[in-house]
Amino acid sequence: MQGLRKVTIRGIGMVTPLGLNRATSFESALQARSAIGPAPDAITRLLPDALAAQVGAAFETGQTRAVAGLDRATQFALVAAQEALVDAGFEANDFQKGRTGVHVGIGMGGAHTLDALYTRFFEQLQRAAAENRDPTVIHPLAVPRMMANSGAAAVSMQHKLRGQTFTYSVACASSSVAIGEAYRALRHGYIDTAIVIGTEAMLTPGSYVAWNALRVIAKKHGSGLEASCRPFDAERNGFVLGEGAAALVLQAEGAEPTCSRAAYAELCGYGTTSDGVHITLPSADGQIRAMQAALAECGLPPESIGYLNAHGTATAAGDVVETESIKGAFGAHAYRLAISSTKAVHGHLIGAGGALEFALSVLALESGNIPPTAHLDNPDPRCDLDFVPSVARRLVPLEAVMSNSFAFGGTNVSLIARKFERSTAAGGG
């Protein structure tokens, strides 16, 4: 790996169901403070018992008119990116604009715009004959708002960034892929700085009923709505859809100008594989190979990983397969490894999930505080690893952490961050 550059994590921003910024979101995860509740009214009119993890109403009141005119997923992306850039210590003119890229992961594009478009179209179609209306009168900016790359374009335009700008749509692994591919671009010198964002806003009637038809959505738990997502628990019955965004500023070591903030950590491992087996059922083999590839890339033994943020969707099959894959990748160390699924409190953010969960893992690495798996009251005997039930672990010495994202379609991604040590030689990797 001679000549490849180290990649550091310099800034983090979040807009999540747990809070409207990084600090609040992380503390809520540590406190196992669930954001799960009733789905939006437009959904519960169709599905009265529907659950969701929503970004707080205070988000809307804080937006400017220009941002408010964009799709909700793009709004989230812009706000999370701004916090990450401020956190990194960048001022407006600090960038080498042509050497800074934007990589975004999103699962469903402008879902709110698309849902509103079809709602308006069919309503107009019903009235067209009786009232002599044109059913094709649609907002002229509908296409730019619902494009999957709308968030990447908006961030690059807002900050006048002219490096490579990519959007990845790989279901639940979208933003993990975005992080990994930005890492490779930085490592090999195509760019010097990257803003990587995972964003998703699909709490709409059309999207929700489609997910509900897959029979992977959690039902209300007897102990309360907030406890309905129960990864690795014997009473689990699915995940809760969430929304929001997380952003990370990544920078290659030696890049100029450098961020003024000290690095949170080094991003050192990216493993990605495809199952090639089934569109929705996970494969332990593919997951094992992704984790092993990430470990091999950063040259770390399994024993060096102190915390793993699991994909942990609380589905009947998924949690068992992931438990087996962790054992396959980590061997005996699997039983000593602290593992948790934070989806229990923030829901499944689909395309944004990987970025959020990796960012939470990085904050755990920096602080030594490991978020728990909330509502893990009665562990499934088949899920027999240390899933950090209910209560955070504080001031744990950590050297490296892993975050997993396993997507419908069979894409598996593992990311590893470790404590950052500056290279002693130019170009050291």
Side-chain angles (χ1 to χ4, degrees), residues 58-256:
F59 176 80
E60 284 79 5
T61 61
Q63 302 317 303
T64 66
R65 187 169 182 175
V67 172
L70 301 172
D71 189 86
R72 189 168 174 84
T74 302
Q75 295 177 33
F76 290 155
L78 284 164
V79 174
Q82 180 64 33
E83 184 188 14
L85 289 167
V86 170
D87 185 40
F90 270 128
E91 299 296 336
N93 297 314
D94 276 351
F95 300 105
Q96 286 196 32
K97 307 291 187 180
R99 299 286 299 168
T100 300
V102 181
H103 287 224
V104 172
I106 186 168
M108 295 293 286
H112 277 260
T113 299
L114 188 63
D115 213 69
L117 184 153
Y118 283 117
T119 298
R120 179 179 174 84
F121 174 71
F122 285 112
E123 286 174 349
Q124 290 184 146
L125 198 62
Q126 290 175 340
R127 295 196 300 262
E131 301 179 13
N132 196 29
R133 291 174 178 265
D134 182 353
T136 63
V137 178
I138 300 297
H139 197 288
L141 295 179
V143 169
R145 287 175 178 173
M146 69 185 181
M147 295 187 308
N149 68 321
S150 177
V155 171
S156 65
M157 289 187 292
Q158 183 177 65
H159 299 286
K160 304 295 187 291
L161 306 178
R162 298 189 295 272
Q164 58 186 36
T165 302
F166 295 138
T167 299
Y168 303 87
S169 187
V170 198
C172 314
S174 297
S175 53
S176 293
V177 171
I179 292 169
E181 296 302 318
Y183 163 74
R184 286 179 174 171
L186 291 159
R187 193 113 162 100
H188 288 270
Y190 293 108
I191 51 176
D192 290 334
T193 305
I195 303 169
V196 187
I197 307 155
T199 189
E200 199 76 83
M202 62 167 70
L203 297 181
T204 67
S207 297
Y208 199 100
V209 296
W211 280 103
N212 187 65
L214 277 171
R215 300 183 180 178
V216 294
I217 299 296
K219 297 176 176 61
K220 176 184 175 181
H221 191 263
S223 62
L225 295 181
E226 71 284 353
S228 297
C229 184
R230 309 175 71 83
F232 307 107
D233 191 88
E235 297 181 6
R236 70 189 182 281
N237 59 34
F239 56 79
V240 174
L241 283 176
E243 62 175 0
L248 301 98
V249 175
L250 308 181
Q251 191 166 59
E253 189 179 19
E256 293 293 341

Side-chain angles (χ1 to χ4, degrees), residues 324-339:
E324 292 306 309
S325 71
I326 293 169
K327 293 176 185 177
F330 285 90
H333 182 60
Y335 291 91
R336 299 187 293 271
L337 178 60
I339 308 162

Side-chain angles (χ1 to χ4, degrees), residues 313-328:
T313 56
T315 58
D319 287 6
V320 175
V321 171
E322 187 168 9
T323 300
E324 292 306 309
S325 71
I326 293 169
K327 293 176 185 177

Side-chain angles (χ1 to χ4, degrees), residues 285-364:
D285 171 72
Q287 296 176 9
I288 290 167
R289 288 186 291 112
M291 287 184 269
Q292 289 176 335
L295 287 165
E297 180 164 49
C298 55
L300 292 176
E303 294 75 19
S304 66
I305 305 297
Y307 168 62
L308 190 155
N309 189 296
H311 189 55
T313 56
T315 58
D319 287 6
V320 175
V321 171
E322 187 168 9
T323 300
E324 292 306 309
S325 71
I326 293 169
K327 293 176 185 177
F330 285 90
H333 182 60
Y335 291 91
R336 299 187 293 271
L337 178 60
I339 308 162
S340 69
S341 172
T342 51
K343 286 183 176 72
V345 291
H346 57 62
H348 194 345
L349 272 61
I350 312 297
L356 172 58
E357 291 157 23
F358 179 67
L360 291 173
S361 302
V362 170
L363 293 172

